[in-house]
Amino acid sequence: MADQSTHTKAAADGAGYWTANIRIIVISLIIWALVSFGFGILLRPMLSGISVGGTDLGFWFAQQGSILVFLALIFFYAWRMNKLDREYGVEED
């Protein structure tokens, strides 16, 4: 009987872990798509009046901004997943 409740708790913890993991991934992908595709391509005409470093903001996002945001997302994901791993007790040694 105790084994069944332990199994149920472990399954619930696993489901919570994966729900949080997928939520982080989806939010990161949305930010990445918005910055790289949205700001760099679709919204570029609207951003052309704003100057950054001698060029317009849309061009900057297409050339450098999307890469910098992508790198920031990588570090954010690693930091957040380490924190999530500690919360659920599945951290690496």
Side-chain angles (χ1 to χ4, degrees), residues 13 21 41 74 91:
D13 283 349
N21 187 1
I41 298 171
I74 290 171
E91 68 270 13

Side-chain angles (χ1 to χ4, degrees), residues 20-70:
N21 187 1
I22 297 297
R23 184 181 314 122
I24 294 168
I25 291 171
V26 167
I27 290 170
S28 297
L29 286 174
I30 289 170
I31 292 170
W32 181 47
L34 178 67
V35 169
S36 63
F37 188 70
F39 290 164
I41 298 171
L42 297 177
L43 299 176
R44 182 162 186 236
M46 291 174 32
L47 299 173
S48 64
I50 303 169
S51 180
V52 172
T55 187
D56 65 279
L57 187 60
F59 180 78
W60 184 84
F61 268 114
Q63 296 302 313
Q64 293 177 358
S66 59
I67 295 169
L68 294 175
V69 170
F70 182 68

Side-chain angles (χ1 to χ4, degrees), residues 4-22:
Q4 186 178 15
S5 66
T6 304
H7 178 69
T8 305
K9 184 181 181 302
D13 283 349
Y17 175 80
W18 282 106
T19 300
N21 187 1
I22 297 297

Side-chain angles (χ1 to χ4, degrees), residues 80-92:
R80 186 62 183 105
M81 284 307 298
N82 284 333
K83 185 177 175 183
L84 190 67
D85 287 349
R86 283 190 302 274
E87 288 174 13
Y88 284 93
V90 293
E91 68 270 13
E92 297 177 3

